[in-house]
């Protein structure tokens, strides 16, 4: 079992930056990939970014490429999402998730509770 706890959300203006954090605990040795997804009101949850547990590979949704950066701190088992040039359409609850499967497609089996990001225009 893997536990994930997010933090760092808040209310910002368009063009501002935020950094989200996600601390993983429990059976972290079973994690292959950590990722971020988001869900805006009335919309389905969507993929944002992912990073392998080794930190050697990253993947981004087209909507955030060039603005968001995912990274991880091996020592602290923490994954970060640095969000720059925020837009009102980035407003959502952001969730951290862990893929324990190691397969070719993401299978998010553990989720955090989410952190709210609100970007005003």
């Amino acid at each position: 079992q893997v536990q994930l706890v997010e933090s760092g959300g808040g209310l910002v203006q368009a063009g501002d930056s935020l950094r989200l954090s996600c601390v993983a605990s429990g059976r972290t040795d079973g994690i292959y990939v950590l990722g971020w997804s988001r869900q805006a009101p009335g919309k389905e949850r969507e993929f944002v970014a992912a990073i392998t547990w080794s930190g050697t590979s990253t993947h981004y949704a087209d909507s955030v490429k060039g603005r968001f950066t995912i990274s991880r701190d091996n020592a602290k088992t923490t994954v970060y999402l640095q969000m720059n040039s925020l837009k009102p359409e980035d407003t959502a609850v952001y969730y951290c998730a862990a893929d324990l499967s190691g397969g070719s497609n993401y299978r998010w089996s553990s989720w955090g509770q989410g952190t709210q990001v609100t970007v005003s225009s």
Side-chain angles (χ1 to χ4, degrees), residues 1-41:
Q1 191 80 354
V2 174
Q3 293 79 44
L4 303 169
V5 178
E6 306 98 330
S7 62
L11 172 62
V12 297
Q13 293 187 331
D16 285 350
S17 298
L18 271 179
R19 189 176 79 158
L20 305 183
S21 300
C22 171
V23 178
S25 61
R27 294 293 303 274
T28 58
D29 57 337
I31 297 175
Y32 284 88
V33 180
L34 282 171
W36 290 94
S37 296
R38 65 187 181 186
Q39 187 165 19

Side-chain angles (χ1 to χ4, degrees), residues 12-111:
V12 297
Q13 293 187 331
D16 285 350
S17 298
L18 271 179
R19 189 176 79 158
L20 305 183
S21 300
C22 171
V23 178
S25 61
R27 294 293 303 274
T28 58
D29 57 337
I31 297 175
Y32 284 88
V33 180
L34 282 171
W36 290 94
S37 296
R38 65 187 181 186
Q39 187 165 19
K43 295 187 177 181
E44 293 187 354
R45 192 171 298 189
E46 64 175 0
F47 169 80
V48 174
I51 187 168
T52 54
W53 188 242
S54 64
T56 57
S57 180
T58 58
H59 177 210
Y60 296 93
D62 288 343
S63 58
V64 306
K65 277 182 184 176
R67 299 188 299 123
F68 290 11
T69 302
I70 190 169
S71 62
R72 64 157 298 203
D73 182 326
N74 289 2
K76 296 182 179 180
T77 63
T78 301
V79 64
Y80 304 99
L81 186 67
Q82 177 66 43
M83 306 186 294
N84 298 330
S85 302
L86 282 162
K87 305 175 181 179
E89 50 264 43
D90 294 318
T91 295
V93 177
Y94 284 71
Y95 297 92
C96 180
D99 179 353
L100 310 179
S101 69
S104 57
N105 296 316
Y106 298 133
R107 291 181 60 188
W108 308 114
S109 54
S110 295
W111 293 89

